[in-house]
Amino acid sequence: RKGVADLLIMLEESPEDKVHALLTIGAYADAAAVAAKARDSNLIYTTISAYEGGLPNNEEGKSLYFSGIINKFPTEAVNMFTSYYCRLGTLAVGDANPAVNIFLRRQKHTEAGLMIAKKALLVESMEGNKREQQKIEMLKDASKIFDVGGKDCAFQKACVDEQIQLMAEQEQLRLAYGSNEVAPPSSSVTSTIMSILKHGAVDQRSAHKLNADAERIAKKFKVPEKRLWHVKVRAFSESGQWAVLRNFCDSRAKPPIGIKPFALAVIKGKQGEAEIMHYVGLMQDKTDADDRYDLLCEAGLWKKALEEAVKQGDGRKIVNVRSLCNN
């Protein structure tokens, strides 16, 4: 009888009727193949749902459900199946394990590890250290999957391992200084360094230790020298550590980022003329002429700007000062 049924189904021209007939006799994979050939997403979904409903409602049934679709169903059905559980896994209250299971069965270690890593960064169900610890444990699981993936996952594994190290460092820093303002959870390397340096305005006695910790973090996570200098300028200026900023600038004869960022920081911080001129006065190279003029205009020091324009013999700059100063 099954043979007769198969012959009759072969003669059926309607994809929908053919799919339903195949589902009736339990030929789920054949039904999925017909639906995929017809490029009908609704029929593909119907075959997946029917296959799930025909299996036992236990752990063995769940295992057969995943392995059957991945190993027997056409690519279109597998892709839909994967997309559904991926979307479900990315939701804040969704479970990422089914999607991870699918990727691992399909030997897609990069996607499986990324799914866990993304889910780890969405963890909000716990508070404080427990939440961070849960994130770290999930990231460790992602790292293990990337490790299994070998060379194809080397970059992703390195990123996740560095994130785990950063989160561990952040927790130690918060405990060491007794403040959640230092290295707040989920902050980047740059934000972590900035928060450490800003804390010097609150805890001046620990300023030397804070700077040492900032340097250590920068070295450990390979922060480029110029970026670190820009971060320090911003941190000291935003926290009002003007004396520290001046000492930092004077620590090098020629700072790797130049003097201009320091001058802009004190101008933005609405510091006095003497503080601004300290930095502008350090810019004595011929190549600094335009920057000196621009900084004086930015600070509203029109007399100084006019003197600089006259010194350079630039008539356009003289006219520009006259038009801007309203005096």
Side-chain angles (χ1 to χ4, degrees), residues 50-286:
Y51 180 61
E52 181 182 18
L55 294 171
N57 187 19
N58 52 33
E59 291 301 321
E60 182 181 359
K62 289 181 181 179
S63 179
L64 289 172
Y65 175 51
F66 283 91
S67 62
I69 289 179
I70 292 169
N71 296 325
K72 298 179 181 178
F73 279 45
T75 304
E76 293 84 353
V78 176
N79 289 339
M80 176 183 284
F81 183 64
T82 305
S83 297
Y84 170 76
Y85 279 104
C86 281
R87 176 58 181 154
L88 187 65
T90 56
L91 298 175
V93 294
D95 185 4
N97 289 329
V100 173
N101 186 12
I102 293 169
F103 284 131
L104 290 177
R105 287 173 181 267
R106 298 181 67 183
Q107 298 295 306
K108 293 180 176 290
H109 297 96
T110 301
E111 289 83 353
L114 288 175
M115 175 62 69
I116 296 178
K118 289 177 181 177
K119 192 68 177 178
L121 299 178
L122 293 174
V123 172
E124 296 292 344
S125 59
M126 299 182 179
E127 296 183 0
N129 293 335
K130 289 184 178 180
R131 180 178 60 207
E132 292 304 298
Q133 190 59 43
Q134 184 182 7
K135 288 183 178 181
I136 290 175
E137 292 302 320
M138 292 178 70
L139 289 173
K140 286 181 178 178
D141 290 339
S143 179
K144 291 177 182 177
I145 292 174
F146 288 138
D147 191 36
V148 174
K151 293 181 179 180
D152 292 338
C153 303
F155 174 73
Q156 289 84 352
K157 176 174 169 55
C159 291
V160 169
D161 289 344
E162 283 196 2
Q163 181 64 27
I164 293 171
Q165 293 174 23
L166 176 62
M167 293 173 72
E169 288 283 358
Q170 289 171 339
E171 184 176 355
Q172 291 299 319
L173 288 165
R174 289 193 294 271
L175 292 173
Y177 294 104
S179 173
N180 286 329
E181 298 300 320
V182 178
S186 301
S187 57
S188 64
V189 173
T190 298
S191 297
T192 298
I193 295 171
M194 190 172 295
S195 69
I196 295 170
L197 296 170
K198 283 184 174 182
H199 194 64
V202 179
D203 187 2
Q204 296 181 3
R205 293 184 178 181
S206 302
H208 181 74
K209 183 182 177 184
L210 286 163
N211 190 63
D213 280 332
E215 292 282 351
R216 179 176 60 80
I217 294 294
K219 183 177 180 180
K220 183 171 184 176
F221 294 99
K222 301 176 182 177
V223 177
E225 183 185 36
K226 288 187 177 181
R227 185 198 296 180
L228 180 59
W229 273 69
H230 280 292
V231 169
K232 286 189 173 185
V233 169
R234 183 179 169 187
F236 294 145
S237 61
E238 289 183 359
S239 58
Q241 300 181 72
W242 303 111
V244 178
L245 181 66
R246 180 182 282 213
N247 291 335
F248 177 52
C249 180
D250 295 341
S251 65
R252 290 270 192 97
K254 288 187 177 182
I257 59 173
I259 304 297
K260 187 175 180 179
F262 292 88
L264 286 172
V266 296
I267 293 171
K268 185 178 179 181
K270 301 185 184 304
Q271 296 303 291
E273 179 179 337
E275 191 70 13
I276 296 170
M277 291 308 300
H278 169 75
Y279 295 103
V280 175
L282 295 174
M283 303 169 66
Q284 295 301 322
D285 291 345
K286 291 182 179 180

